[in-house]
Amino acid sequence: MIPAKFEYIKASSVSEALGLLDKHGDEAQLLSGGHSLIPTMKLRLNQPKVVVDIGKIPGLNSISEDGSNVVIGANCTHHQIATSSVVQGGVNVLAQTAKEIGDIQVRNKGTIGGSLAHADPAADYPAVILASGAKIEVEGSGGKRTIDATDFFLGIFETALESNEMITAVHVPKSSGGVYLKFSQPASRFAVVGCAAIKNDSGVSVGLTGVAGCAYRASAVESAYNGDAKAAAAHAVDGVEVMGDNFASSKYRAHLAKVFTERALNALG
Amino acid sequence: MKINLKVNGKDHTSDVEPMMSLAAYLREVLLLTGTHVGCDTSSCGACTIKMDGKAVKSCTILAVQADGCDITTIEGLSQNGEMHPLQASFKENHGLQCGFCTPGMIMTAENLLSENPNPTEEEIRHGLEGNFCRCTGYHNIVKSIQHAAESN
Ligand SMILES: Cc1cc2nc3c(=O)[nH]c(=O)nc-3n(C[C@H](O)[C@H](O)[C@H](O)COP(=O)(O)OP(=O)(O)OC[C@H]3O[C@@H](n4cnc5c(N)ncnc54)[C@H](O)[C@@H]3O)c2cc1C
Ligand code: FES
Ligand code: FES
């Protein structure tokens, strides 16, 4: 399988990449790890005229601490996140989640920026990004802005990113004792359903992925939770249009969402 | 587009189309046909190679992305005509039948052992999540990797 013809440009800085996005508009696509983009190009579901490789831009693959946040560069691979002592120490649930993505080879190449921008309804990070109240740092030729995780995921493969913007980093508030549990699709390991639960000052925050067109904060579970995991988890799909596909019908998915939410809340202890 | 890369210790300069995968480049341009292509869609792991020290699926990487990189394929594992311990162990333990998946299995196992020299059986099975074998039922593959780890 060979993608349709395209022009390839390796960007050496964020501003060069943004300039290329401005110049080529909808004809251009960014390439980071390529583990979502290249398969879709080979299947001709996606035929960009210009591919802007941001994978080697210096400075986008570092992990650091900034007060109460862990700051993860957009180009950090899943493997880097899974094995980083800063992530393990600050927000271990994110390191554990990264470790569960795909397989060794996918984790060595796929990046957090690519995963969030791609917004696959079955991707793992969105659940944790939502539950932890992370902020996504994006840059366009007009400047920088940050987007709250709750405002970022809009629908199937749809985010709040403008077509001339790119993700530069993710700011994840530190937390301890978070949990991410998923029911994996047996071949790809994508989440049929995944639930992240994190303790906070007022109780718990819960993010669900795989259930609907995009990941969401299960606020009905959060407000119902008073120590009884089962009762709170019964609200996991309140007000949500649950997806059905060849892996799981919508009824089964709704059931899984409740079961995994209950297990995640119980695992929080 | 012009690319410069190192493959199995040797420098190469080539002119490639951006649409060419790294797997196709290795097989069709450098004639290193030990890297196999099974699914061509990032699922089976047959095309696994090492890129800058990490196991990756070369069917889902463009050759142009490998510009400036250091690549190792299955052909680059043996030293001075001696099989790599993993290759010897696969041979010894019947870790292959048709052999189609084997180069990818060995490249992934090499990555696994470089990060975890003494894996448990479960860790090995987890480590092979991205590699499919249609022949062996995996038991002897796992045994081969265990054996290679023990003898190191
Ligand atoms: C076999 C297999 C199994 C997988 N299993 C899982 C799994 O279990 N769980 C899971 O969550 N994921 C899984 N994935 C997806 C994987 O995590 C991808 O790596 C990830 O979704 C995309 O990251 P990437 O760096 O490869 O992005 P790319 O493929 O390079 O890009 C994806 C999209 O994001 C855009 N993009 C990339 N970087 C940026 C940026 N910085 N700013 C704005 N837009 C950007 C691109 O233009 C493109 O549209 C799997 C993939 C494969 C091939
Ligand atoms: S050929 Fe690359 S993963 Fe199957
Ligand atoms: S030995 Fe035949 S596919 Fe593995």
Side-chain angles (χ1 to χ4, degrees):
Chain A
M1 269 170 289
I2 300 170
K5 208 173 168 71
F6 60 90
E7 186 189 350
Y8 170 92
I9 307 171
K10 184 158 46 169
S12 51
S13 66
V14 171
S15 59
E16 186 188 353
L18 294 175
L20 289 163
L21 286 184
D22 271 342
K23 180 171 167 206
H24 296 283
D26 288 345
E27 301 205 318
Q29 281 249 8
L30 300 174
L31 170 78
S32 180
H35 271 44
S36 292
L37 182 64
I38 295 173
T40 61
M41 285 171 64
K42 284 178 152 190
L43 296 168
R44 308 266 173 136
L45 297 169
N46 204 338
Q47 306 196 3
K49 292 265 182 332
V50 180
V51 169
V52 179
D53 189 351
I54 58 169
K56 298 257 168 74
I57 294 180
L60 284 187
N61 64 349
S62 60
I63 298 177
S64 60
E65 280 173 292
D66 178 12
S68 57
N69 287 300
V70 172
V71 184
I72 302 172
N75 279 348
C76 290
T77 61
H78 311 326
H79 175 263
Q80 234 181 311
I81 293 168
T83 55
S84 151
S85 54
V86 175
V87 182
Q88 287 169 355
V91 43
N92 192 33
V93 58
L94 188 67
Q96 294 306 317
T97 304
K99 212 171 132 190
E100 294 293 316
I101 294 177
D103 50 56
I104 288 183
Q105 297 97 311
V106 169
R107 293 193 291 274
N108 280 341
K109 205 75 188 93
T111 67
I112 190 166
S115 175
L116 296 178
H118 190 60
D120 191 305
D124 293 302
Y125 286 133
V128 184
I129 293 300
L130 282 161
S132 60
K135 289 188 192 312
I136 293 143
E137 178 189 299
V138 311
E139 199 167 330
S141 47
K144 280 190 188 188
R145 62 179 179 130
T146 56
I147 308 174
D148 283 343
T150 37
D151 298 327
F152 187 77
F153 303 102
L154 301 182
I156 301 182
F157 303 118
E158 209 190 322
T159 69
L161 271 181
E162 298 293 338
S163 60
N164 62 353
E165 284 179 325
M166 64 182 270
I167 299 174
T168 45
V170 191
H171 297 246
V172 192
K174 290 183 189 169
S175 59
S176 55
V179 175
Y180 177 68
L181 294 178
K182 72 166 160 173
F183 184 79
S184 300
Q185 205 266 73
S188 72
R189 305 276 157 201
F190 267 106
V192 175
V193 162
C195 178
I198 296 177
K199 276 190 185 157
N200 59 29
D201 297 340
S202 54
V204 288
S205 50
V206 177
L208 276 161
T209 190
V211 182
C214 64
Y216 61 95
R217 251 314 259 272
S219 30
V221 175
E222 295 172 6
S223 47
Y225 186 64
N226 58 6
D228 182 345
K230 194 175 177 73
H235 298 282
V237 298
D238 282 8
V240 172
E241 197 180 322
V242 180
M243 283 194 303
D245 60 18
N246 51 336
F247 300 121
S249 66
S250 60
K251 199 171 161 207
Y252 181 44
R253 254 201 177 79
H255 172 73
L256 285 174
K258 292 174 194 168
V259 170
F260 277 76
T261 303
E262 183 184 339
R263 287 185 190 169
L265 290 173
N266 278 329
L268 269 185
Chain B
M1 196 179 162
K2 205 161 159 201
I3 55 170
N4 293 296
L5 69 172
K6 195 176 257 187
V7 181
N8 301 333
K10 220 171 123 194
D11 290 319
H12 293 273
T13 299
S14 303
D15 198 6
V16 296
E17 284 287 337
M19 65 173 78
M20 180 178 249
S21 72
L22 180 56
Y25 171 73
L26 294 169
R27 291 178 54 83
E28 294 162 24
V29 178
L30 301 188
L31 304 178
L32 292 169
T33 52
T35 299
H36 293 166
V37 175
C39 64
D40 207 12
T41 53
S42 69
S43 300
C44 75
C47 65
T48 302
I49 56 147
K50 276 176 76 177
M51 185 167 174
D52 292 336
K54 297 258 176 283
V56 291
K57 293 173 176 174
S58 62
C59 70
T60 305
I61 296 173
L62 304 169
V64 286
Q65 281 176 281
D67 181 37
C69 292
D70 188 351
I71 307 286
T72 308
T73 68
I74 188 76
E75 290 93 341
L77 283 191
S78 64
Q79 298 283 331
N80 309 320
E82 285 272 320
M83 277 194 278
H84 183 276
L86 273 163
Q87 291 173 307
S89 187
F90 269 65
K91 180 170 178 247
E92 170 103 6
N93 294 284
H94 299 280
L96 61 147
Q97 286 180 25
C98 79
F100 192 85
C101 70
T102 315
M105 288 287 177
I106 290 181
M107 298 312 286
T108 307
E110 209 272 343
N111 185 122
L112 179 74
L113 295 186
S114 71
E115 288 176 6
N116 181 1
N118 294 302
T120 61
E121 179 182 339
E122 198 189 338
E123 285 169 335
I124 295 174
R125 289 184 184 271
H126 255 286
L128 297 178
E129 267 163 357
N131 293 73
F132 299 163
C133 175
R134 301 307 297 268
C135 306
T136 64
Y138 299 96
H139 287 301
N140 286 350
I141 294 178
V142 175
K143 209 164 102 188
S144 304
I145 297 170
Q146 270 170 327
H147 191 252
E150 282 157 15
S151 59
N152 242 357

